[in-house]
Amino acid sequence: MQVNFILVHKPWILCKPTTSLQKPLKSKPPPKYLRRCLPRVSYRMVTVQPTPNKIPVADYLQKSQETPTSLTRYLLEVARQNKDMGDMVGLINGIQFACKKIASLVGKAGVTDLMGLYQQGVFNVHGEEQKKLDVLSNEVLKNALKYSGKMAVIASEEEDVPIMIEESYTGNYVVVFDPLDGSSNLDAGLPTGTIFGVFQQQFSCLVHDYEESINSMELACLQNTLQPGRRLIAAGYCIYSSSTMLVLSLGNGLHCFTLDTEVGEFVLTRANIQIPQRGNIYSFNDSNFYQWDKGVQDYIERLRKGTNQSRSRYSARYVGSLVADVHRTILYGGIFGYPADKKNTCGKLRLVYECAPMAYLVEQAGGKATTGMENILDLTPKSIHERQPLILGSPEDVEEFLQVYGMSRVDRETMQVDNLSCL
Ligand code: AFP
């Protein structure tokens, strides 16, 4: 077991109003939880826990398909077989509760006035107008994680900066998440999803209260969220669609649990999911065709014409909701991509809470994920909202993409990439 020594001190941190969740200031300031405040922290000697062992529950999962296995029962089995994973089980329980709650909110959004914008003219950190359900889902997940008692730092698509958890609830895990991805599809009743990834914290932080300045050591504490995807110890997504499914990996393969609404439990419906070696579907936003660089255009043209390696013309499927497009790709095979284009020179998707967790899950199912240049899981994020191109799917399809894309390296390198716009 490794022991780190961290200087103890108590700086004061700047407390700024949030642009994402704050209501306009009238006479009194917004409540504490709505402020973009960075809490005062202190540092201490910490023991960095070893990465938990792989979980040998695959046999159990296969056998248990004969009788319904709830996610709760599965997690108990994980804890029974892995004494050091009790905390992880508590954390995933918090997430499954949040997914049920978000599923319920999404399901009745039309009849409870939860569709539409949170507040006209109020934009989040990405310059996008938030939906009511974006804001609500963020609160639901944040609270579920916070009160699981297992958290150190969380980072969300909907928050400007990572959030440290108050001392009384502090644990060892770092969770990055997108609470409701694809929310522009909500009002049309199309699938949306929650994406999450779990790391172990590298720097320990004790959080006391909300104070007034931030220094480099505190930033180091927040950098717990900037770990490469290779260090993920768990990830998953929840899809809100014709049914609600929680697709999860604790590093032991990919398993799908479907919400049985009659009993209110997630039940195992697919164990050890394996992505097909090759598919016949491509999932790219085709309207960007003329904005892509030549390597991507050449690849897509081969799929359309059937001049690719498998000599078969591919079908196009694109929901525009990452969870739905990745879920279909994992189950049916093929390739999903959001490459760089002339407008989005780093791609559109966020490395920390979209690309990396999805890449981890696809690899757990035997697939591959790349930027076109590097394996997604090898990238160390420079900022929490950094964007990267994402290509993932069946191993043979991704390999073929890399070959075709690699042939136009010169063209790709002449593309003007403004690295600052990635961050
Ligand atoms: P929204 O959350 O604004 O709906 O964005 C969804 C998303 O981040 C991701 O889920 C999709 O894969 C991608 O954007 C779709 O982007 P395009 O609309 O540019 O194709």
Side-chain angles (χ1 to χ4, degrees), residues 106-150:
V106 168
K108 58 191 183 201
V111 286
T112 50
D113 191 29
L114 284 179
M115 287 188 172
L117 294 178
Y118 174 61
Q119 233 177 4
Q120 199 81 36
V122 173
F123 298 87
N124 67 8
V125 62
H126 315 291
E128 302 156 350
E129 282 184 303
Q130 288 175 303
K131 301 266 182 185
K132 287 178 196 165
L133 274 171
D134 281 328
V135 176
L136 271 176
S137 308
N138 190 51
E139 288 302 311
V140 168
L141 197 48
K142 229 164 62 176
N143 283 329
L145 289 171
K146 199 162 144 179
Y147 297 113
S148 72
K150 312 299 175 199

Side-chain angles (χ1 to χ4, degrees), residues 30-97:
K32 255 187 184 176
Y33 73 94
L34 285 180
R35 284 187 236 166
R36 178 191 164 190
C37 297
L38 292 174
R40 185 168 55 126
V41 295
S42 67
Y43 292 81
R44 58 177 170 150
M45 282 190 300
V46 295
T47 305
V48 178
Q49 299 291 339
T51 306
N53 296 329
K54 289 277 164 13
I55 310 117
V57 290
D59 287 352
Y60 168 81
L61 276 175
Q62 293 291 9
K63 281 188 218 131
S64 65
Q65 273 182 309
E66 288 142 28
T67 53
T69 301
S70 67
L71 176 56
T72 310
R73 191 175 129 209
Y74 166 67
L75 292 174
L76 287 172
E77 181 66 17
V78 169
R80 195 182 65 77
Q81 292 193 28
N82 298 269
K83 299 292 172 238
D84 53 354
M85 290 202 69
D87 280 359
M88 171 66 84
V89 165
L91 177 68
I92 302 293
N93 259 328
I95 292 176
Q96 74 154 316
F97 173 76

Side-chain angles (χ1 to χ4, degrees), residues 206-226:
L206 279 182
V207 183
H208 296 296
D209 48 21
Y210 290 86
E211 298 298 347
E212 283 193 358
S213 74
I214 185 159
N215 69 14
S216 53
M217 287 195 65
E218 289 146 4
L219 280 176
C221 176
L222 292 174
Q223 275 182 351
N224 276 305
T225 54
L226 300 182

Side-chain angles (χ1 to χ4, degrees), residues 237 239 241-243 245-248 254-258 269-281 322-336 361-362 365-367 392-395 397:
Y237 58 78
I239 180 165
S241 186
S242 54
S243 55
M245 286 172 268
L246 204 165
V247 179
L248 174 70
L254 190 65
H255 314 297
C256 175
F257 299 84
T258 303
T269 43
R270 289 172 199 262
N272 293 314
I273 299 171
Q274 284 295 306
I275 191 168
Q277 284 296 303
R278 179 179 279 278
N280 57 10
I281 296 174
L322 182 65
V323 174
D325 285 319
V326 171
H327 187 63
R328 185 201 51 247
T329 304
I330 290 175
L331 294 186
Y332 298 174
I335 190 162
F336 165 86
L361 295 169
V362 165
L392 58 77
S394 295
D397 285 297

